Amino acid sequence: MSRYRPDAGYAFITGAIRALETREIGAEVVRQVAGTGSEAEAMAVLRGTYLQECAAGRGDPGSFPQLAGWVRAWMLEIIDRFSRGGELMALFRLEFDYHNIKVLLRGRASGRGLSGPLMQEGTVSLEELVPVIQEGRYGELPASLGGAVEECESRFRDSGDPRSIDLAADRRLFQDLLGRLDQIGSPFIRGYYRLLADLTNLQGLLATGGDGLPAWAFVPGGEIAVETLERHRGAGTGEIAAVARAAGLESVETAAAAYPEDILAFGRESARTLAEYRRGARYDICGAEPLFAFGKTVEADIAVLGTLIGGRGAGLPVELIMKRVPPQYTGGTR
């Protein structure tokens, strides 16, 4: 375990996390937001949650994307205040960078504009990143990000498949993350990304079906050997479910076997599995682990609320939207 501050400091942040959980995003909030008829109504529901805490002093958010940005900024402020050296916060900000890269490149590839909201909290500001990508000036980006953008574009040119952008960006993200984990020195955080890598690779195998996931696309760092993954490119769902079971991922085995009849099940169960993994660390009183678990839980809350509000705004039936909501937000274990 990595101890960044005296135990008393971590006792404080753990207490703050517990206090926020009294206004958590749980099943009742999800039910209320899903039942709203407008973004304004949904925002009114959220005023009764811990999200109100992060908006204090910032004003009245005009939209959910604005509130989500405030929540991320607030979360990063807490991580920065109770950690040392910036390594932990860099993990989160790096993921925001890669999210922005995917959104911008997918928008260029489709010719229809942005494919999702951008995040201002990356290591590269949007004021810098957007024109650099739009104008192809990748040499002005940090070396790792510039190389990632070039690879994403190259993979897309070779395949003509927009999915290659996400696959290439995810692989480069994991390469960057693994290089930074040594600086943090937390077996728990490394284990989280190891689990995430396995879930990401299994999802890729399922999503590509008979076409087969490209051999270059597996993200590094997981427990499942690349050789095992390569043998199952284009395999049936039963075989992929067996790979999950052999890796000790029984929690997603059934969801894998149900693909493609329920294509959303694997995503739901993956989110629940990650939530279960990080759950205990939120109550540690020393080390980087409680801060990391806190930040990832806040990110998960933002994501599920975005799914609900965006789905309702698009006029989708509540039943369909709820199929995207992980079990921990519908009455299961958080």
Side-chain angles (χ1 to χ4, degrees):
M1 295 263 180
S2 172
R3 297 194 176 191
Y4 279 14
R5 287 283 173 88
D7 288 0
Y10 277 96
F12 175 83
I13 187 58
T14 303
I17 292 170
R18 286 175 183 255
L20 292 173
E21 287 176 344
T22 64
R23 291 178 289 156
E24 70 177 359
I25 308 302
E28 179 59 22
V29 171
V30 165
R31 184 191 65 78
Q32 291 182 31
V33 172
T36 57
S38 68
E39 184 178 25
E41 290 180 16
M43 297 284 280
V45 172
L46 297 182
R47 290 193 185 100
T49 71
Y50 76 83
L51 301 186
Q52 183 175 356
E53 183 88 8
C54 77
R58 288 181 165 89
D60 187 18
S63 66
F64 179 73
Q66 183 177 40
L67 177 61
W70 286 358
V71 174
R72 287 191 297 270
W74 169 79
M75 177 262 290
L76 290 175
E77 288 169 5
I78 291 178
I79 291 175
D80 185 45
R81 187 184 313 158
F82 292 98
S83 62
R84 181 194 61 173
E87 295 94 345
L88 185 60
M89 189 167 67
L91 291 180
F92 289 86
R93 297 187 69 195
L94 188 67
E95 291 185 62
F96 298 154
D97 283 329
Y98 276 89
H99 165 85
N100 290 337
I101 286 170
K102 289 193 286 188
V103 169
L104 289 166
L105 290 179
R106 285 199 305 260
R108 281 186 58 185
S110 69
R112 295 192 295 268
L114 298 180
S115 60
L118 297 172
M119 298 179 178
Q120 186 66 258
E121 300 75 31
T123 63
V124 180
S125 72
L126 295 181
E127 290 75 17
E128 297 176 71
L129 183 65
V130 173
V132 161
I133 289 187
Q134 288 178 339
E135 299 167 18
R137 297 183 279 111
Y138 307 145
E140 297 179 21
L141 293 172
S144 60
L145 292 179
V149 174
E150 290 178 350
E151 180 176 345
C152 289
E153 286 217 316
S154 174
R155 298 294 185 186
F156 175 65
R157 284 195 303 268
D158 291 344
S159 67
D161 185 349
R163 291 180 300 181
S164 63
I165 294 173
D166 282 10
L167 293 172
D170 287 344
R171 188 175 71 84
R172 293 295 292 253
L173 169 61
F174 272 84
Q175 288 177 334
D176 274 0
L177 289 172
L178 292 174
R180 294 167 186 261
L181 290 178
D182 290 338
Q183 301 174 40
I184 296 175
S186 166
F188 173 85
I189 296 176
R190 182 173 290 277
Y192 177 89
Y193 284 110
R194 185 179 299 121
L195 174 60
L196 180 57
D198 285 335
L199 294 171
T200 300
N201 286 329
L202 290 170
Q203 176 76 72
L205 287 175
L206 290 168
T208 52
D211 296 335
L213 192 69
W216 54 264
F218 295 112
V219 303
E223 286 282 358
I224 303 174
V226 172
E227 294 79 10
T228 299
L229 294 166
E230 288 179 341
R231 286 200 305 271
H232 289 83
R233 290 168 54 211
T237 54
E239 293 178 62
I240 297 173
V243 173
R245 181 175 64 252
L249 297 174
E250 293 88 352
S251 59
V252 297
E253 177 189 354
T254 301
Y259 201 94
E261 286 75 17
D262 184 356
I263 64 173
L264 301 176
F266 192 86
R268 291 194 305 268
E269 289 304 312
S270 293
R272 185 188 65 79
T273 299
L274 290 168
E276 283 294 297
Y277 179 88
R278 64 178 179 257
R279 186 167 182 244
R282 296 173 68 189
Y283 308 106
D284 287 350
I285 61 170
C286 63
E289 289 77 10
L291 283 172
F292 177 82
F294 163 69
K296 286 300 175 185
T297 300
V298 170
E299 287 187 336
D301 288 349
I302 295 171
V304 76
L305 291 171
T307 295
L308 292 167
I309 295 172
R312 294 297 287 153
L316 298 178
V318 173
E319 296 76 15
L320 178 59
I321 299 170
M322 293 302 292
K323 287 185 177 181
R324 295 181 177 274
V325 176
Q328 67 266 29
Y329 292 101
T330 57
T333 302
R334 187 175 178 78

